[in-house]
Amino acid sequence: MGEGTKAKRCNTCAKRKIACDLKDPACSQCLLTGREFPGYHQPHVFLHQAFGTPSAKSGKQKVVASRVSRGKSQKAGLQKASSSTTGHRPIHHRAVKYTISNIAAPALSADGLLVQLIIGNFASSHEIGLVHIGDNSLVSLNSRMCGAWVTLLPELFAKSATRTGLLCIGARALGTAISGRLEKDESLIAESLDLVCRGLRALRELLISQEGASDVEVLSASMCLKITEVLLGTSHNGWSVHIHGIAELIKDRGPCNFVIGTAHQLFASFRIFLLLEYMQKRKSTFLASPEWLKVPFCNRSKSSMQTLLDAASPLPGLLEKVDKFRASQSVIEDSTAHEIHLELNAVVKDLRKWETDLTSALEGSLWWPVSSPSSENTNSVDEEAGFTIFYQFANILTANTMCHYWAFLAIALSEISLLEPCIQPSLWPYESFSGPRLATDPSHCRFPPSTQNELSTLSSNICASMRYHMHPSQKLYGPASTFFPLWIALQFFEQDPSPQSKRKELWCRSLFRELEERGLPLAKHLPGCRPGL
């Protein structure tokens, strides 16, 4: 018998009697409404009786996999998540003996389940692949926060298993940590921590010997261990150490090694993590140099996130200059302050141009306001903070990009305002530049009224986007991308003495606690980090 007819909708959409887009690995209706995805209806076909599926690997990893999938049916999202997936189709056989059966996907090994768990939580299924940007060129979504680099894991994992196994350890650590947080299983968290320790030892040995592992495997393993730190939350220092290790490796290899292939995909995905780390530390970075801005992208167009990072790349170095100027406690070096002031204004100009170019090239809005529902589900904390309006976005890529744009712009504007009294002291009635970072008198703000109002708007915009990021359909990749923007918004509300800002400060702190409860305990360390504003 030939192939059965193709499914017209998934089982959930069929029961709800609504249209289904049949996207792989799960339909958008189920993803966006947070419903369980039962898979697409599988037609009956004739299969050879000897047709079978690979069995799961035995051993300790099989136990982990069974715990990962405990109480859950195998979803289509766990069958295959590579961007090249075409789905399983029935195979014709010439043998005489047949039985009737449902089409079945090959069973995944224990490691396969863990890898697919990572992909499912850190890459939005309906955004994996290619999208159109303003100039209608196609770009890979490799620039998203914790983005499409994870979709490379199946191939990278298979290669690592035949070589050093370093990435295998890193992926197992990350997958086990995700499972432990989702199931609230401390034994899995402890197992993940043990795998992290093993991975760090293996990584150190490989870097010393400089044999066996490729740069791609080392970078991928380091990123897996870094994200595992987010889920373990042992300390903020662990996260920072991994980032700086990745940065040194990338810098040592040079931009020409990240032009094509998997190496480019990894660099484009890691770039935002590196830039945010150096921005938080207020230290200059090689990413701002012309060769690193151009060479890795010489063969392809940049996504909206990548062009945003281009505009923001001078910020870490400028923040370091500001701190060195402040350390000298000099208010007479007008030429130095003026130079930094001009460079910061150039960054603001580039950031605003980025937004103008993006909005003018697209049809429709990047985001739009939605009212907070007036029902028993309304969050009283939201109302107390004055957040009765929240933002809806076309997709998580847009939400990520705009939130970081607002944060970058807030940083640049605040530093410009703090430099102005060094250039024209008589026109600035607030604290001396050489004084404390935060205002000591709560009755005064650090910024002039016009800057204060714009910073308040930018910080409120960031907060208004949080509901979208925190929606259950965004899994872990939505909440994890809120860390830096929310940290910037919190710092503004901390220094603003108005009662409204104090309520918003409490709201931000409550959201950091919610992030910790959602399985991202690294969030608890961020409110105490060094100020960025």
Side-chain angles (χ1 to χ4, degrees):
M1 184 175 179
E3 298 184 13
T5 57
K6 184 179 179 180
K8 295 183 178 179
R9 51 188 169 181
C10 73
N11 294 336
T12 297
C13 290
K15 290 180 181 179
R16 297 175 64 201
K17 298 181 179 180
I18 60 175
C20 179
D21 58 14
L22 297 175
K23 286 189 175 180
D24 183 56
C27 94
S28 298
Q29 290 283 2
C30 292
L31 284 173
L32 295 176
T33 59
R35 287 179 167 82
E36 186 77 9
F37 177 68
Y40 298 112
H41 172 71
Q42 302 292 343
H44 292 289
V45 296
F46 285 116
L47 299 177
H48 190 274
Q49 197 168 32
F51 182 81
T53 58
S55 60
K57 293 181 180 179
S58 60
K60 184 176 180 180
Q61 295 168 17
K62 184 176 180 179
V63 176
V64 175
S66 65
R67 298 169 76 179
V68 170
S69 58
R70 184 190 311 146
K72 302 178 182 179
S73 62
Q74 285 195 354
K75 300 179 182 180
L78 297 183
Q79 292 172 2
K80 200 144 186 171
S82 169
S83 59
S84 62
T85 296
T86 57
H88 296 276
R89 300 179 65 85
I91 302 173
H92 298 285
H93 298 271
R94 292 186 177 182
V96 178
K97 197 172 182 180
Y98 290 87
T99 60
I100 191 166
S101 172
N102 284 329
I103 300 176
L108 290 173
S109 67
D111 284 332
L113 285 171
L114 290 177
V115 169
Q116 298 301 335
L117 184 65
I118 296 170
I119 293 172
N121 279 278
F122 281 103
S124 176
S125 61
H126 58 284
E127 290 182 1
I128 296 173
L130 299 175
V131 292
H132 287 278
I133 57 173
D135 61 359
N136 291 322
S137 61
L138 288 173
V139 294
S140 175
L141 284 180
N142 54 17
S143 58
R144 198 157 45 79
M145 297 292 294
C146 299
W149 77 273
V150 297
T151 63
L152 303 172
L153 279 178
E155 177 185 353
L156 296 175
F157 191 100
K159 292 180 179 179
S160 176
T162 63
R163 296 175 181 173
T164 65
L166 176 61
L167 177 58
C168 297
I169 299 174
R172 288 165 189 156
L174 178 54
T176 305
I178 294 173
S179 178
R181 289 305 178 194
L182 294 179
E183 297 184 15
K184 301 186 184 303
D185 188 332
E186 290 300 321
S187 65
L188 286 177
I189 297 300
E191 185 174 346
S192 176
L193 182 59
D194 178 65
L195 286 166
V196 168
C197 294
R198 288 174 51 195
L200 291 175
R201 288 195 297 268
L203 179 60
R204 182 170 60 251
E205 292 171 0
L206 280 173
L207 292 176
I208 292 174
S209 65
Q210 297 184 350
E211 296 180 359
S214 65
D215 291 343
V216 165
E217 182 177 4
V218 171
L219 286 172
S220 303
S222 298
M223 183 58 74
C224 285
L225 294 173
K226 179 189 75 69
I227 298 180
T228 305
E229 290 283 353
V230 178
L231 297 165
L232 297 179
T234 52
S235 70
H236 185 266
N237 185 57
W239 161 279
S240 184
V241 168
H242 287 304
I243 287 290
H244 284 273
I246 292 172
E248 287 302 313
L249 179 60
I250 290 176
K251 180 182 178 181
D252 181 65
R253 296 303 183 265
C256 293
N257 286 304
F258 300 96
V259 175
I260 59 174
T262 303
H264 172 80
Q265 292 272 64
L266 292 173
F267 171 77
S269 296
F270 298 170
R271 188 183 179 211
I272 186 168
F273 293 112
L274 305 182
L275 192 62
L276 295 182
E277 172 65 16
Y278 284 104
M279 206 173 293
Q280 182 185 345
K281 298 295 184 183
R282 300 173 70 92
K283 298 295 182 182
S284 59
T285 169
F286 65 93
L287 294 173
S289 62
E291 62 268 22
W292 282 100
L293 290 172
K294 297 178 181 179
V295 175
F297 300 94
C298 63
N299 287 339
R300 61 192 68 206
S301 301
K302 293 182 179 180
S303 69
S304 55
M305 176 64 86
Q306 295 295 346
T307 54
L308 173 62
L309 297 182
D310 285 352
S313 61
L315 272 178
L318 290 174
L319 296 177
E320 183 177 25
K321 287 184 179 181
V322 169
D323 288 348
K324 288 181 178 179
F325 183 73
R326 179 180 293 108
S328 69
Q329 297 186 349
S330 172
V331 294
I332 60 174
E333 299 178 16
D334 287 350
S335 59
T336 302
H338 184 64
E339 178 185 344
I340 301 173
H341 188 270
L342 289 176
E343 292 183 70
L344 284 167
N345 273 287
V347 171
V348 170
K349 182 179 179 180
D350 289 342
L351 288 171
R352 294 193 192 281
K353 182 179 183 301
W354 173 88
E355 182 187 23
T356 301
D357 291 345
L358 185 64
T359 54
S360 61
L362 297 176
E363 296 180 0
S365 301
L366 293 172
W367 74 93
W368 54 94
V370 292
S371 300
S372 180
S374 56
S375 65
E376 59 183 10
N377 295 326
T378 302
N379 191 331
S380 60
V381 178
D382 294 345
E383 293 181 342
E384 291 176 4
F387 294 125
T388 57
I389 297 293
F390 290 88
Y391 292 158
Q392 184 71 19
F393 297 85
N395 51 54
I396 190 63
L397 175 62
T398 303
N400 285 340
T401 306
M402 292 310 304
C403 265
H404 285 82
Y405 163 72
W406 293 323
F408 296 153
L409 189 58
I411 293 172
L413 290 173
S414 65
E415 295 295 339
I416 287 173
S417 292
L418 293 175
L419 274 175
E420 285 174 348
C422 301
I423 303 171
Q424 297 175 311
S426 60
L427 301 180
W428 189 259
Y430 302 99
E431 59 178 331
S432 170
F433 182 77
S434 59
R437 292 298 302 276
L438 300 179
T440 55
D441 183 354
S443 64
H444 292 89
C445 297
R446 298 169 66 205
F447 309 108
S450 59
T451 303
Q452 187 80 3
N453 291 337
E454 185 164 12
L455 290 175
S456 178
T457 299
L458 293 170
S459 301
S460 297
N461 283 348
I462 291 171
C463 294
S465 73
M466 291 297 106
R467 174 173 289 182
Y468 181 88
H469 285 86
M470 298 294 287
H471 191 275
S473 65
Q474 306 296 3
K475 303 295 180 65
L476 290 175
Y477 56 81
S481 64
T482 65
F483 283 13
F484 185 84
L486 185 61
W487 177 64
I488 294 297
L490 172 62
Q491 290 177 76
F492 170 76
F493 295 132
E494 282 178 336
Q495 62 79 39
D496 186 358
S498 68
Q500 181 71 1
S501 287
K502 293 297 107 178
R503 289 192 292 269
K504 291 182 178 181
E505 176 190 342
L506 294 175
W507 184 91
C508 290
R509 292 186 180 278
S510 71
L511 193 59
F512 274 117
R513 290 192 293 271
E514 183 179 347
L515 286 167
E516 183 179 359
E517 294 169 359
R518 289 277 294 270
L520 300 168
L522 184 70
K524 66 184 177 184
H525 300 289
L526 293 178
C529 288
R530 181 181 181 182
L533 281 179

